[in-house]
């Protein structure tokens, strides 16, 4: 069996003296593993770095086998991704999110989104917004998507200010006012109108929002914790918007 696909390197594990097992996100075949012979060579090590875009050819006798990759470089962005904290942590955090999905399960829209985010991780404000949207997309593909398009109580699509922690649906400011202290904040840039760029407060609220639902629906039922890289990314993205940022912590998002 053989196929060829566009891919992004997520990570590698040493295998024997000279080879590695590469983990990649492909556009049409999802997250996939494969053996790369001589993957630890001087020629291949710079190619097999997280964040690099490559072309892979996979071969195996049977579909269920691990198989072997032949890897050709396309866009070697790993060196640039080492230049900022948001990029270093972002690559790791997105890889951890993709590992929540079943192996070999195609998610082409996540592949496309990953490509876009990797090219914007050097800009913390853009990276923060894109990362939150990536988390929302992963939640949706896992079957826990949020409905942020209209108010759960009135059907209104304007002045959406909250998200119900029970239903994961948006709530308008007027409808949610009596229970505001129990609601999650819906950042304006994630609302239906979505015409405002993220600032420190709205981005912090967005991280709380996605962190809450990831913890409730994904990590807690699986007995897991969010990847440490997510906290690192959150810290770096928010610190870039406010250099005087106080320490952030908390498993569900942000607390300052």
């Amino acid at each position: 069996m053989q196929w060829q696909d566009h891919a992004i390197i997520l990570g590698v594990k040493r295998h024997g003296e000279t080879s590695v097992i590469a983990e990649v996100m492909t556009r049409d075949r999802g997250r996939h593993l494969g053996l790369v012979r001589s993957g630890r060579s001087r020629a291949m090590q710079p190619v097999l770095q997280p964040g690099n875009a490559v072309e892979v050819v996979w071969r195996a006798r049977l579909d269920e086998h691990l198989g072997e990759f032949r890897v050709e470089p396309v866009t070697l962005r790993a060196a640039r991704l080492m230049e900022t904290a948001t990029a270093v942590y972002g690559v790791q955090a997105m890889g951890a999110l993709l590992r929540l999905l079943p192996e070999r399960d195609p998610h082409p829209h996540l592949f496309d989104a990953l490509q876009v985010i990797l090219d914007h991780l050097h800009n913390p404000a853009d990276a923060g917004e894109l990362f939150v949207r990536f988390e929302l997309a992963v939640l949706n593909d896992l079957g826990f998507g949020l409905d942020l398009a209209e108010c759960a109580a009135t059907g209104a699509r304007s002045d959406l200010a909250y998200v119900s922690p029970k239903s994961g649906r948006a709530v308008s400011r007027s409808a949610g006012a009596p229970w505001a202290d129990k609601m999650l904040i819906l950042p304006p840039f994630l609302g239906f109108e979505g015409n405002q760029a993220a600032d420190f407060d709205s981005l912090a609220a967005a991280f709380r929002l996605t962190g809450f639902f990831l913890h409730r629906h994904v990590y807690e039922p699986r007995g897991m914790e969010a990847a440490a890289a997510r906290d690192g990314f959150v810290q770096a993205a928010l610190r870039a918007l406010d250099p005087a940022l106080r320490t952030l912590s908390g498993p569900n998002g942000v607390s300052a």
Side-chain angles (χ1 to χ4, degrees), residues 56-200:
V56 296
V57 175
W58 179 84
R59 289 193 183 96
R61 190 168 63 85
L62 296 175
D63 184 62
E64 59 266 25
H65 288 176
L66 172 66
E68 296 185 14
F69 280 144
R70 189 178 76 241
V71 181
E72 297 292 337
V74 176
T75 305
L76 300 184
R77 56 168 74 91
R80 180 167 54 84
L81 293 174
M82 296 296 292
E83 295 175 356
T84 64
T86 49
V88 170
Y89 287 119
V91 172
Q92 298 174 46
M94 287 188 291
L97 285 167
L98 291 171
R99 291 181 188 105
L100 298 171
L101 300 166
E103 189 182 344
R104 305 189 180 190
D105 192 13
H107 298 269
H109 58 291
L110 290 182
F111 175 87
D112 293 340
L114 182 61
Q115 287 270 46
V116 171
I117 299 173
L118 288 170
D119 287 332
H120 289 81
L121 281 176
H122 63 283
N123 184 322
D126 290 344
E129 286 194 42
L130 291 168
F131 183 84
V132 165
R133 296 184 187 280
F134 191 78
E135 289 189 315
L136 289 171
V138 170
L139 273 168
N140 186 68
D141 282 21
L142 288 170
F144 306 110
L146 308 186
D147 182 357
L148 307 179
E150 63 181 29
C151 176
T154 67
R157 293 198 165 195
S158 61
D159 200 27
L160 302 177
Y162 307 106
V163 176
S164 166
K166 291 184 178 180
S167 68
R169 299 186 64 189
V171 180
S172 68
R173 193 177 308 278
S174 58
W179 303 278
D181 60 332
K182 295 182 176 158
M183 295 281 189
L184 293 161
I185 299 297
L186 175 60
F189 74 87
L190 287 180
F192 175 74
E193 295 164 312
N195 54 5
Q196 298 184 33
D199 56 16
F200 176 89

